[in-house]
């Protein structure tokens, strides 16, 4: 597990996650739309696996009391700096370097809502995924809402078929078939997204419900953006219809038929 942790920390220490969400804003916009829709009007929020804190800052701006945690020390430090730069430090209860499978020092039944928008991408062993979801359950108040992101096996298999050289070792049909069976992916090229786990769409809801959550909604965070090229998106922008396209993608995100092609899903549940 230490080796796995180290390579994930190394990857995110050199990756601009804040910039990714700025460059590809639709995922953030869709997630925030549904997060706002289901959050209580006020309260305590844990952003668990927050990276540099893009979601945490938005929630702090809206008046929530936020605790931030992440596995990568440099991401936690970046989040602390962002909070200071935005004048939001007083909204934060703390910035913690923590593993999602062991939220040491976080008390039981503390939070009105918990975000976990990254840790399940990198927990390749089932016992680790179970540990993370049990910790999520433990720190959430009874009736509290959780927002959990996963990546999809079908979309990754499509990506591999479309761009095999970009996703080595998924550059042969045998490797892709093996990936589809296991759901784990370790990039062959140094410094690329690796140590990953991808869910089958049909497994997400049962997995969360087995660990004490009532399902509220499952949405496709990247929605139709996953199938539009930059050129195709640009056409609608040129037509002056960018806002209309964004609104349609937000609505389409909750259509069950979108789930398999969306690279990221957002599970929304409630602690029973």
């Amino acid at each position: 597990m230490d080796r796995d942790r180290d390579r994930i920390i190394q990857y995110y220490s050199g990756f601009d996650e804040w910039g990714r969400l700025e460059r590809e804003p639709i995922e953030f916009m869709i997630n925030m739309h549904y997060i706002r829709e289901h959050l209580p009007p006020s309260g305590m929020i844990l952003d668990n696996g927050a990276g540099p804190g893009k979601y945490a800052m938005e929630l702090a701006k809206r008046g929530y009391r936020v605790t931030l945690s992440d596995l990568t020390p440099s991401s936690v430090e970046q989040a602390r700096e962002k909070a200071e730069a935005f004048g939001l430090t007083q909204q934060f209860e703390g910035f913690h370097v923590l593993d999602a499978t062991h939220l040491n020092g976080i008390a039981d039944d503390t939070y009105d809502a918990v975000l976990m928008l990254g840790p399940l991408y990198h927990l390749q062993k089932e016992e680790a995924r179970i540990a993370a979801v049990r910790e999520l359950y433990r720190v959430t108040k009874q009736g509290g809402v959780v927002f959990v992101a996963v990546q999809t096996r079908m979309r990754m298999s499509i990506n591999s078929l479309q761009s095999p050289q970009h996703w080595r070792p998924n550059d042969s049909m045998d490797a892709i078939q093996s990936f589809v069976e296991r759901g784990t992916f370790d990039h062959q090229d140094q410094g690329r997204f690796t140590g990953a786990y991808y869910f089958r769409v049909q497994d997400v809801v049962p997995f969360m419900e087995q660990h004490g959550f009532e399902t509220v909604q499952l949405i496709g965070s990247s929605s139709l953006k996953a199938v539009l090229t930059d050129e195709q998106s640009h056409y609608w922008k040129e037509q002056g219809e960018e806002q209309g396209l964004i609104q349609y993608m937000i609505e389409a995100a909750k259509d069950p038929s979108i789930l398999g092609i969306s690279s990221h899903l957002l599970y929304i549940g409630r602690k029973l």
Side-chain angles (χ1 to χ4, degrees):
M1 178 62 77
D2 284 347
R3 179 181 165 275
D4 293 340
R5 281 169 48 104
D6 288 347
R7 65 177 172 168
I8 302 310
I9 290 169
Q10 183 179 11
Y11 173 77
Y12 282 104
S13 293
F15 183 75
D16 181 14
E17 175 65 9
W18 187 284
R20 181 187 78 83
L21 291 170
E22 295 273 311
R23 291 188 304 273
E24 305 167 13
I26 195 65
E27 178 192 332
F28 177 76
M29 291 166 69
I30 289 172
N31 279 345
M32 278 307 306
H33 173 89
Y34 288 97
I35 288 169
R36 288 198 308 269
E37 193 171 275
H38 294 285
L39 276 177
S42 63
M44 300 266 292
I45 297 178
L46 171 65
D47 192 351
N48 167 27
K54 179 111 171 120
Y55 290 92
M57 300 305 148
E58 189 66 28
L59 295 168
K61 285 177 191 174
R62 293 171 182 275
Y64 293 96
R65 304 291 300 172
V66 182
T67 301
L68 182 145
S69 67
D70 196 83
L71 181 64
T72 303
S74 61
S75 295
V76 175
E77 188 53 39
Q78 189 183 352
R80 195 193 305 272
E81 290 167 2
K82 291 282 186 187
E84 191 172 331
F86 292 137
L88 293 169
T89 304
Q90 74 281 358
Q91 290 300 120
F92 282 85
E93 299 291 322
F95 299 84
H96 306 285
V97 177
L98 288 173
D99 186 323
T101 63
H102 298 94
L103 294 174
N104 299 332
I106 304 288
D108 296 359
D109 307 310
T110 300
Y111 296 98
D112 301 285
V114 182
L115 280 62
M116 191 164 76
L117 304 183
L120 288 183
Y121 301 168
H122 292 292
L123 298 174
Q124 293 185 325
K125 295 184 173 66
E126 185 178 16
E127 57 265 33
R129 295 191 292 277
I130 290 170
V133 174
R134 284 181 174 162
E135 281 291 83
L136 181 73
Y137 184 89
R138 179 182 68 77
V139 302
T140 305
K141 288 180 181 176
Q142 199 76 29
V145 63
V146 298
F147 303 93
V148 180
V150 301
Q151 296 201 66
T152 64
R153 206 171 296 188
M154 179 56 74
R155 181 69 233 177
M156 181 54 169
S157 70
I158 293 169
N159 290 345
S160 300
L161 290 168
Q162 291 175 327
S163 306
Q165 295 303 311
H166 192 74
W167 294 111
R168 296 186 302 168
N170 282 9
D171 55 355
S172 73
M173 287 310 304
D174 283 348
I176 291 171
Q177 289 283 8
S178 177
F179 162 74
V180 169
E181 287 167 20
R182 298 186 329 272
T184 55
F185 177 76
D186 296 296
H187 211 297
Q188 189 173 303
D189 300 337
Q190 196 70 25
R192 297 292 308 282
F193 185 79
T194 193
Y197 181 77
Y198 296 79
F199 274 80
R200 290 190 177 95
V201 171
Q202 63 269 30
D203 293 341
V204 178
V205 167
F207 177 69
M208 295 303 297
E209 291 184 348
Q210 282 161 17
H211 296 99
F213 294 99
E214 175 187 33
T215 300
V216 174
Q217 202 166 23
L218 182 65
I219 62 128
S221 303
S222 47
S223 187
L224 290 164
K225 179 62 179 168
V227 295
L228 291 177
T229 64
D230 289 342
E231 183 183 357
Q232 290 162 346
S233 297
H234 187 67
Y235 170 85
W236 296 106
K237 188 174 184 178
E238 290 256 294
Q239 300 300 307
E241 296 203 67
E242 186 176 27
Q243 283 309 308
L245 174 62
I246 289 168
Q247 278 307 119
Y248 179 59
M249 286 200 276
I250 289 170
E251 280 299 307
K254 62 186 180 186
D255 186 323
S257 65
I258 210 77
L259 299 178
I261 61 166
S262 185
S263 57
H264 298 72
L265 305 184
L266 181 68
Y267 173 89
I268 304 166
R270 201 169 298 282
K271 177 176 173 177
L272 293 170

